[in-house]
Amino acid sequence: MLGTRFTKYIPSPDQSKSDFDKLMDIFLQLVTITGGDVAEALAWLSNLDKQYNITSDGYGMGDFIEDLQDKGYLTDKTPDGSFEITAKSEQKIRSDALEEIFGKLKKSGKGDHKTHFSGQGDEQTTDRRNYQFGDKLEQLSMTDSLRNAQINHGLDSFMMTENDLEVVENEYKTQTSTVLMIDISHSMILYGEDRITPAKKVAMALAELITRKYKKDTLDIIVFGNDAWQIDIKDLPYLQVGPYHTNTVAGLELAMDLLRRRRNPNKQIFMITDGKPTCLKQGIKYYKNSFGIDSKILNKTLNLAKQCRKLQIPVTTFMIASDPYLKEFVKEFTQVNNGNAYYSSLQGLGHLIFEDYKRNRRKKL
């Protein structure tokens, strides 16, 4: 029998996006790589256009720049008249980073983390228990309670007592305070490998994830080179590597100080780095040694790892380098802290951090 079979229409990549959207995807990637330098990003985009014919006669680079301004992604209202991205662009970059890194993962339900503990939570489980003084009326399982009353007292003289009542057990939901440490020492761009851009994308994706899904959680982001300082989420696209050594001690001290102010019972530190600690600050001077592992710097770093353990703050280290002596440092640091360590490629960094974040949020530390 002849007929027509209908299937779901899936447009080709070229048809599914407008000219503006195609250019926008590339532009935001370039803005992230250039640390928010719009002029450099547009120059790179123009070179790519010449090489790959991205634009057409109907829609050129001038049209794209005009649309960026009209749609609120770009502004030239600066003291010198140069272009800058807006807050709308910053949010778009974070959203795209989240989709790029975590987009293939299945969507979950409600936006809270769970532990294996039951209690005064707000999501019901399949577990039942006897009523206890203090349980709320909305926790009562009426079907189970009525069944118990029928069994215990019969239908002829039906009655319900406290002993007949059953309640639905709720899951206890926890909050977590996380500090993400990002290494911005010079080695993050050495040997022709851009390690800082994937680190930024992971930070932006994690920030966007927490902002959207885990609104009760807190995320503080710090960077560390010769010193350590806190940055805002909105500053992430502009983050760049400097001519710095690696002062892991300063980063850990700042992270611990930030977590002391948080009242959440669950606290953790994520550290993204590609090297060993090579710097300490002593007063106003810096003690530096990039040759091998310096015992003076190492011992101070391990002492802080031990302090974090006493405070029940696990440190998860994401080492994006594979040198054997670096692995030894991470192994010793992890053992002292009783934390976790991953030797990650840049490509798998985001998934590791996401999975570890979820796993740590399932347990009460």
Side-chain angles (χ1 to χ4, degrees), residues 73-139:
Y73 291 105
L74 211 61
T75 180
D76 59 357
K77 295 179 181 179
T78 57
D80 58 356
S82 60
F83 284 125
E84 286 185 354
I85 60 173
T86 63
K88 185 177 181 179
S89 289
E90 294 166 357
Q91 197 282 327
K92 173 68 173 170
I93 292 172
R94 294 196 301 270
S95 179
D96 286 355
L98 178 64
E99 182 64 26
E100 178 183 343
I101 294 174
F102 304 138
K104 294 181 181 179
L105 298 177
K106 292 181 180 179
K107 293 182 179 179
S108 60
K110 294 181 68 175
D112 289 306
H113 302 295
K114 305 183 183 74
T115 66
H116 296 303
F117 298 93
S118 298
Q120 298 290 335
D122 56 2
E123 183 169 328
Q124 293 184 344
T125 69
T126 57
D127 299 329
R128 301 289 188 271
R129 62 171 173 80
N130 293 331
Y131 173 84
Q132 297 175 355
F133 179 77
D135 288 333
K136 298 178 181 179
L137 289 177
E138 56 264 30
Q139 289 181 258

Side-chain angles (χ1 to χ4, degrees), residues 196-360:
I196 191 62
T197 298
K200 285 196 295 185
K201 286 186 177 181
V202 166
M204 289 188 288
L206 187 60
E208 190 70 8
L209 177 75
I210 292 175
T211 302
R212 288 187 189 181
K213 190 175 181 184
Y214 307 126
K215 296 182 180 180
K216 295 180 181 179
D217 286 7
T218 65
L219 174 66
D220 294 294
I221 302 172
I222 64 177
V223 294
F224 62 105
N226 290 349
D227 298 285
W229 59 94
Q230 187 177 7
I231 64 172
D232 293 329
I233 293 174
K234 65 180 180 61
D235 297 328
L236 281 168
Y238 311 100
L239 188 61
Q240 292 182 310
V241 168
Y244 307 127
H245 286 68
T246 307
N247 192 343
T248 308
V249 168
L252 289 171
E253 288 177 337
L254 179 56
M256 292 169 65
D257 184 55
L258 291 171
L259 289 174
R260 284 191 190 99
R261 306 173 193 174
R262 301 298 185 183
R263 296 183 179 180
N264 291 341
N266 296 337
K267 302 176 181 181
Q268 61 185 354
I269 297 173
F270 288 165
M271 178 169 64
I272 304 175
T273 182
D274 71 336
K276 61 188 183 299
T278 60
C279 178
L280 283 175
K281 192 170 185 180
Q282 299 176 321
I284 60 173
K285 294 184 178 180
Y286 295 95
Y287 175 84
K288 303 174 183 178
N289 183 6
S290 300
F291 302 98
I293 296 180
D294 188 291
S295 59
K296 182 176 180 178
I297 301 174
L298 176 64
N299 291 337
K300 180 67 174 176
T301 307
L302 295 180
N303 286 339
L304 285 176
K306 191 181 298 182
Q307 289 182 36
C308 286
R309 180 175 182 174
K310 290 181 180 179
L311 294 171
Q312 295 185 310
I313 302 175
V315 181
T316 303
T317 305
F318 298 89
M319 176 61 72
I320 48 179
S322 57
D323 306 64
Y325 75 98
L326 292 179
K327 287 186 176 182
E328 285 300 316
F329 156 69
V330 173
K331 181 180 179 182
E332 187 174 3
F333 179 88
T334 303
Q335 287 176 341
V336 170
N337 174 257
N338 196 29
N340 298 298
Y342 297 94
Y343 306 98
S344 171
S345 66
L346 293 172
Q347 186 175 5
L349 182 61
H351 288 283
L352 282 176
I353 287 184
F354 175 69
E355 290 300 332
D356 203 70
Y357 183 80
K358 288 209 307 181
R359 180 167 52 250
N360 287 349

Side-chain angles (χ1 to χ4, degrees), residues 109-220:
K110 294 181 68 175
D112 289 306
H113 302 295
K114 305 183 183 74
T115 66
H116 296 303
F117 298 93
S118 298
Q120 298 290 335
D122 56 2
E123 183 169 328
Q124 293 184 344
T125 69
T126 57
D127 299 329
R128 301 289 188 271
R129 62 171 173 80
N130 293 331
Y131 173 84
Q132 297 175 355
F133 179 77
D135 288 333
K136 298 178 181 179
L137 289 177
E138 56 264 30
Q139 289 181 258
L140 289 177
S141 173
M142 292 307 300
T143 302
D144 294 315
S145 300
L146 288 170
R147 184 196 63 222
N148 293 339
Q150 291 175 0
I151 294 173
N152 294 335
H153 310 292
L155 291 175
D156 295 335
S157 56
F158 180 80
M159 61 182 296
M160 181 180 290
T161 68
E162 182 178 329
N163 292 330
D164 301 322
L165 300 178
E166 283 192 23
V167 298
V168 181
E169 192 73 285
N170 287 346
E171 282 187 314
Y172 176 84
K173 292 188 178 180
T174 181
Q175 299 174 2
T176 288
S177 291
T178 303
V179 172
L180 178 62
M181 296 172 51
I182 304 176
D183 184 352
I184 58 168
S185 62
H186 186 57
S187 60
M188 291 287 279
I189 55 170
L190 281 180
Y191 315 117
E193 186 172 35
D194 177 12
R195 297 168 177 173
I196 191 62
T197 298
K200 285 196 295 185
K201 286 186 177 181
V202 166
M204 289 188 288
L206 187 60
E208 190 70 8
L209 177 75
I210 292 175
T211 302
R212 288 187 189 181
K213 190 175 181 184
Y214 307 126
K215 296 182 180 180
K216 295 180 181 179
D217 286 7
T218 65
L219 174 66
D220 294 294

